[in-house]
Amino acid sequence: MTEQAPDIAARHQAQQRADDIETFRRELARLEAEGVLSLDTTTRQAIAAHHRVLLARYAADHDIDRSQRARQLSLGMRAASLLGALALAASVFFLFYQFWGLFPETAQVAILIVSAVAGLGLTAYLQKRDTTGYFTKLAALVALACFVLNVSMLGQIYNVMPSDRALLPWAAMALLLAYACDLRLLLGVGILCLVAFVSARVGSWYGIYWPNVGERPENFFVAALLLLAISRLTVNHRHSGFAAIYRVFGLLTALIPMLFLGQWGYFSYLDLPPKLVEGAYQLLGFAASALAIWIGTRRDWPETANTGIAFFVLFLYAKLYDWWWAVMPKYLFFLVLGLSALLILLILKRLRGVIGRTERGDTP
């Protein structure tokens, strides 16, 4: 049912080339208006004809956005597709529960199986014919909703005790649809299910009942490492934005528990005084955030650097709150926060200048 990965990569490359062509046209117009560059008629016509051929071929093969207005319309279509997908998934969910008791057990099982298979088949059918991907997203989310209902309601029919093991097939289904149809939304859903499953498994090793996995935030660290490792897989480089999504979720899964434990150390597994645990996790949070900033800047991963910056500021503000909230006048405390924000801006500006000189080959 899947579109070949090279075709997905080709679509993203075609859209990138179309964006570059539009950027080139705008910059060329500026250069000519400023008197810096003047192309002769033959060269101008050759370039324009070449671009027209490229854009026409890309539009025919990959249904790209050829202009800024087309991109704006595509953004609206993506929003409508998302809202429609959520609404249809909710409709399927409530439809099942509204009329579920009217069917005998055999019919219930048959309906669950048929609905899940039909949703998957509809997604496969649309995925081959829908070049825009909007209708595929609708069908894929409905297919996932049917599959989730399938697993959960079959468990109810046969009186199977709820278990975290259900999260694994849900994650597998969401990830399968995400990679097959190049859908970031379902990738996020699959990652959340995977994080919940891995964390629940880690918690069960320590005797924690799986719905209570959040009682020990350290349960999420294994899932964070797993997501960061998965982001390095080659398959994610064939899908635009997939590796970045894994990195962001991995950082969130690691840094949020660190931020929490930095304030409430008695939730930790560590058999140490809470204040000592809090101090350790505060230092670890600062170090992990700074490392994310450094790696994101060095490897040109803006989402990684921005996530690191956001959490570095959060850890800093949490520490300032611990130190001064109870002893400072409130106006002075918020003044200190504002000044610390200005200091961070100056440091980041300096870092940006150093990076710019390094890229130009100048001596810092």
Side-chain angles (χ1 to χ4, degrees):
M1 64 170 282
T2 63
E3 179 184 5
Q4 296 297 319
D7 293 336
I8 295 174
R11 184 169 62 215
H12 292 304
Q13 291 172 2
Q15 184 62 64
Q16 182 61 52
R17 182 69 184 275
D19 295 342
D20 292 343
I21 290 173
E22 184 177 359
T23 302
F24 169 80
R25 289 173 172 174
R26 290 199 301 265
E27 182 61 18
L28 179 60
R30 293 192 189 101
L31 292 175
E32 290 180 336
E34 294 167 357
V36 177
L37 178 65
S38 179
L39 298 178
D40 59 80
T41 304
T42 302
T43 303
R44 180 187 300 276
Q45 291 177 348
I47 294 174
H50 179 64
H51 286 167
R52 283 196 299 272
V53 171
L54 285 178
L55 292 174
R57 186 171 77 241
Y58 292 154
D61 295 342
H62 306 292
D63 194 29
I64 62 167
D65 297 323
R66 300 177 59 171
S67 65
Q68 183 65 31
R69 286 182 295 179
R71 277 193 292 276
Q72 292 172 352
L73 290 174
S74 293
L75 181 61
M77 292 173 68
R78 282 195 291 271
S81 175
L82 174 60
L83 293 175
L86 293 175
L88 286 175
S91 175
V92 171
F93 179 83
F94 288 110
L95 177 65
F96 271 70
Y97 276 92
Q98 179 72 26
F99 301 102
W100 198 239
L102 302 178
F103 301 103
E105 181 178 301
T106 303
Q108 289 178 350
V109 174
I111 290 172
L112 288 173
I113 295 175
V114 169
S115 63
V117 173
L120 192 61
L122 178 62
T123 304
Y125 175 82
L126 291 175
Q127 195 265 343
K128 293 179 180 179
R129 291 162 177 79
D130 176 26
T131 57
T132 64
Y134 304 124
F135 298 101
T136 303
K137 182 184 295 184
L138 284 166
L141 195 53
V142 171
L144 180 61
C146 291
F147 184 77
V148 171
L149 284 170
N150 191 326
V151 175
S152 61
M153 298 185 77
L154 282 175
Q156 293 179 19
I157 291 172
Y158 293 106
N159 295 319
V160 178
M161 181 178 293
S163 169
D164 60 317
R165 293 184 179 87
L167 294 166
L168 192 58
W170 294 349
M173 183 65 169
L175 293 175
L176 171 66
L177 291 171
Y179 281 94
C181 304
D182 196 35
L183 300 177
R184 301 180 191 179
L185 173 64
L186 292 186
L187 179 66
V189 174
I191 289 174
L192 289 176
C193 292
L194 185 62
V195 168
F197 173 76
V198 173
S199 303
R201 288 286 92 192
V202 173
S204 68
W205 298 339
Y206 292 93
I208 296 178
Y209 185 43
W210 69 272
N212 302 324
V213 62
E215 293 180 356
R216 300 291 184 180
E218 288 150 327
N219 292 328
F220 293 91
F221 288 156
V222 174
L225 293 175
L226 178 62
L227 293 180
L228 293 174
I230 293 175
S231 71
R232 303 294 294 157
L233 296 179
T234 305
V235 66
N236 292 312
H237 302 158
R238 302 170 186 165
H239 299 265
S240 177
F242 276 31
I245 292 173
Y246 276 109
R247 287 194 293 269
V248 170
F249 273 96
L251 288 173
L252 292 176
T253 307
L255 292 173
I256 291 177
M258 290 181 192
L259 184 63
F260 185 87
L261 290 168
Q263 301 300 311
W264 299 281
Y266 48 84
F267 285 101
S268 173
Y269 282 117
L270 299 176
D271 188 17
L272 296 171
K275 288 298 182 183
L276 182 59
V277 173
E278 291 167 8
Y281 275 109
Q282 287 169 7
L283 290 175
L284 183 60
F286 277 117
S289 301
L291 182 62
I293 297 171
W294 181 75
I295 293 177
T297 303
R298 186 175 183 84
R299 300 205 173 199
D300 195 21
W301 294 342
E303 75 292 330
T304 301
N306 291 336
T307 303
I309 291 171
F311 274 91
F312 191 91
V313 172
L314 287 175
F315 279 105
L316 177 61
Y317 281 6
K319 194 61 181 174
L320 294 179
Y321 179 89
D322 290 340
W323 283 342
W324 295 324
W325 177 257
V327 298
M328 272 189 178
K330 301 304 179 280
Y331 74 90
L332 185 58
F333 175 78
F334 286 107
L335 177 62
V336 171
L337 290 187
L339 293 176
S340 65
L342 291 176
L343 178 61
I344 292 172
L345 286 175
L346 291 174
I347 293 173
L348 293 176
K349 181 180 178 181
R350 174 65 177 170
L351 178 61
R352 186 178 67 173
V354 171
I355 292 173
R357 289 193 297 270
T358 302
E359 290 175 347
R360 293 195 303 269
D362 300 339
T363 301

